[in-house]
Structures are given as C-alpha cells and as structure tokens.
Amino acid sequence: MAYVSFTDVRKEYRMGDTVTAAADGVSFEIEKGEFVVMVGPSGAGKTTILNLLGGMDSCTSGKILVDGRDVSACTERQLTEYRRHDVGFVFQFYNLIQNLTALENVELASQICRSPLNPRKVLERVGLGERMDNFPAQLSGGEQQRVAIARALAKNPKLLLCDEPTGALDYVTGRQVLQLLQHTCRDNGRTVVVITHNQAFAAMADRVIHIHSGKVQKVTRNPAPLPAE
Ligand code: ADP
Ligand code: ADP
C-alpha cells in the first residue's frame, strides 16, 4: 500500500452563496521516502491539498490515507495529535519567533513532541552550527529558512510538508534549501512534499504532481532526480 493516498478528494470553500471547489476529485499516491514536488499556477489548489494532507483542514468528501491512517476520518482531537507528532511544516515566511534565538526556536518545537531529535544536532545538520545563538533578524533569509527546517525536523516527523519554502528567496538560495530538503529525505527515509512555483526545482524530485484548477493534471516520475551537489 502506498504511504500517502488521496482518493477522489474534494474540498469546497463557501463564501456566501458561492462555492469554490479548491480540490475537485484529487487522486494521487506517494511512496514512503519519496521527495515530491507539487507545481501549478497560483490558485490551482496546491496549498489546499497540502493542508488536507497535514491535517490542518478537513476534506468535503473523498479519502486521505497516510501510513495506513485514515486522516479524512479523524476527529479534531486525532488531527491535533497527528499534526503535532507525525507532520513537520515549513512555510514561505519562516514563521520564527523573533525574540528567541535559532536554538530556542528549535528547542521550543522539540518540547511538545514525543521523540524529538537533539536541537543542536539538527541545527548542525542544516549548516547552522555556528549560528545557533543568533536571533532571526541577524540571519539571512536562507538561514532563517534553515532554522525553520531544523525546527520542523526536530519533531522527527515521518512526513515533512513545505509550502513555497523558496518563495521569499533568490534562486541560488532557494536551490540550496531544496537540496537540503532532498537530503533530509535521503537521510532518514522521510517523505517530503514541497510546493514550488519554480518548475526548475521539479527536476530534483522523485515525483512531480502537477495541479491545475483543483485537479491533478498529471503526475510524472524522475527515475534519476538531479542530485543535490
Ligand atoms: P494555490 O496554493 O495553488 O495557490 P490554494 O489552495 O491556495 O491554491 O487555493 C485554491 C482555491 O481555493 C483558490 O481559488 C482560492 O481562492 C480558494 N481558497 C483557498 N482557501 C480558501 C478559503 N479559506 N476560503 C475560501 N476560498 C479559499
Ligand atoms: P542575504 O543577502 O543572503 O539575505 P544578508 O546580506 O542578509 O544575506 O546576510 C549575509 C550574512 O550576514 C549572513 O550570513 C547573515 O547571517 C549575516 N548577517 C546579516 N545581518 C546580520 C546581523 N544583524 N547580525 C549578524 N549577522 C548578520
């Protein structure tokens, strides 16, 4: 059985009398340990799908399975557990706490979960061994995103979900962040899903899910993804 499966998933948003189907019959599968990139134009439904996968929102209909768990049938309480222990999140604007150091940001996240990784070791892993005691404002954009990735990894999640993690970074820095995410996947057999606007990054993925108008347009697989240098 696939590690992640979406089967005919629909998500409607209602605003007054208007109903938008942000996800409209979405089906795809992801294998354990894959590095997956989700691409598509703005408004296509990528964030909606990622939020459903991460248990941040519930679908209107359809079935979502993650590692044998029926996420689409979870109660609110079960979803909170799932988000806290099984899923790591990385966002476009880092969402770091400004008056905590890099290390303190990572420690805070590791405190709420069952089997955290050592915050110092994780920061070393993302290349910030020398910068643990810096505050976010003292770090470049790329470094802040590395802290955010370390914070997500400190929970030792089976699934890492990243929504436009390179959206605020220049191309070269963004590429380094993608390479780091690709590495974290290879390191631990962790499954990583990344939304990106940049088609160039798709070549680094094992699997590329193309989203258009709330639907899966196509899924492509790279038998030999571009290696992280
Ligand atoms: P993408 O991430 O591909 O840019 P989104 O998943 O953010 O796309 O949005 C898909 C569609 O759903 C868009 O038309 C968007 O306006 C709509 N949408 C997303 N979130 C909401 C919401 N909370 N309420 C109403 N409409 C929403
Ligand atoms: P970028 O142009 O890639 O965003 P910056 O020019 O902001 O990077 O930063 C370059 C380097 O200087 C980075 O290593 C960053 O950590 C460091 N740096 C930037 N601002 C400060 C600061 N206020 N205190 C200490 N180090 C800083």
Side-chain angles (χ1 to χ4, degrees), residues 131 138-141 143:
R131 297 210 154 258
Q138 298 171 317
L139 300 171
S140 71
E143 289 169 333

Side-chain angles (χ1 to χ4, degrees), residues 96-169:
L96 299 173
I97 299 174
Q98 294 297 316
N99 59 353
L100 297 182
T101 64
L103 180 60
E104 288 165 347
N105 266 281
V106 178
E107 283 173 342
L108 190 66
S110 71
Q111 279 160 13
I112 62 158
C113 64
R114 272 189 292 258
S115 52
L117 301 175
N118 181 312
R120 289 176 183 277
K121 290 210 172 112
V122 181
L123 278 161
E124 278 162 16
R125 179 66 192 87
V126 302
L128 289 178
E130 308 292 306
R131 297 210 154 258
M132 289 185 203
D133 298 323
N134 282 78
F135 291 92
Q138 298 171 317
L139 300 171
S140 71
E143 289 169 333
Q144 289 185 63
Q145 191 60 292
R146 282 169 191 272
V147 176
I149 291 167
R151 178 181 58 185
L153 292 176
K155 290 164 65 176
N156 201 9
K158 289 178 278 187
L159 185 59
L160 182 64
L161 305 180
C162 314
D163 194 347
E164 292 277 3
T166 63
L169 303 174

Side-chain angles (χ1 to χ4, degrees), residues 13-15 20 22 40-49 163 195:
Y13 290 112
R14 273 167 207 283
M15 289 202 290
T20 310
S42 183
K46 303 181 298 295
T47 297
T48 298
I49 292 166
D163 194 347
I195 292 178

Side-chain angles (χ1 to χ4, degrees), residues 31-223:
E31 300 300 334
K32 187 169 172 57
E34 276 187 332
F35 183 55
V36 178
V37 163
M38 193 155 36
V39 293
S42 183
K46 303 181 298 295
T47 297
T48 298
I49 292 166
L50 203 75
N51 288 348
L52 293 172
L53 178 55
M56 296 205 275
D57 209 345
S58 300
C59 57
T60 308
S61 63
K63 192 163 189 162
I64 300 171
L65 295 177
V66 179
D67 199 13
R69 180 202 304 245
D70 189 346
V71 173
S72 47
C74 283
T75 62
E76 273 306 318
R77 194 193 164 93
Q78 289 169 326
L79 283 183
T80 303
E81 277 284 295
Y82 170 68
R83 284 193 302 267
R84 183 170 297 172
H85 299 293
D86 298 319
V87 190
F89 297 96
V90 175
F91 305 98
Q92 180 172 357
F93 296 110
Y94 331 131
N95 296 4
L96 299 173
I97 299 174
Q98 294 297 316
N99 59 353
L100 297 182
T101 64
L103 180 60
E104 288 165 347
N105 266 281
V106 178
E107 283 173 342
L108 190 66
S110 71
Q111 279 160 13
I112 62 158
C113 64
R114 272 189 292 258
S115 52
L117 301 175
N118 181 312
R120 289 176 183 277
K121 290 210 172 112
V122 181
L123 278 161
E124 278 162 16
R125 179 66 192 87
V126 302
L128 289 178
E130 308 292 306
R131 297 210 154 258
M132 289 185 203
D133 298 323
N134 282 78
F135 291 92
Q138 298 171 317
L139 300 171
S140 71
E143 289 169 333
Q144 289 185 63
Q145 191 60 292
R146 282 169 191 272
V147 176
I149 291 167
R151 178 181 58 185
L153 292 176
K155 290 164 65 176
N156 201 9
K158 289 178 278 187
L159 185 59
L160 182 64
L161 305 180
C162 314
D163 194 347
E164 292 277 3
T166 63
L169 303 174
D170 61 65
Y171 175 75
V172 172
T173 311
R175 189 176 158 77
Q176 288 164 351
V177 164
L178 255 284
Q179 285 172 342
L180 175 62
L181 292 169
Q182 190 192 41
H183 272 137
T184 71
C185 205
R186 300 280 181 266
D187 280 353
N188 304 65
R190 183 173 285 127
T191 306
V192 180
V193 183
V194 182
I195 292 178
T196 177
H197 261 96
N198 197 329
Q199 290 274 353
F201 295 143
M204 295 167 68
D206 298 307
R207 188 184 296 256
V208 185
I209 302 177
H210 300 256
I211 307 295
H212 199 279
S213 306
K215 296 180 194 297
V216 177
Q217 195 178 34
K218 63 175 174 178
V219 177
T220 54
R221 299 198 64 187
N222 290 326

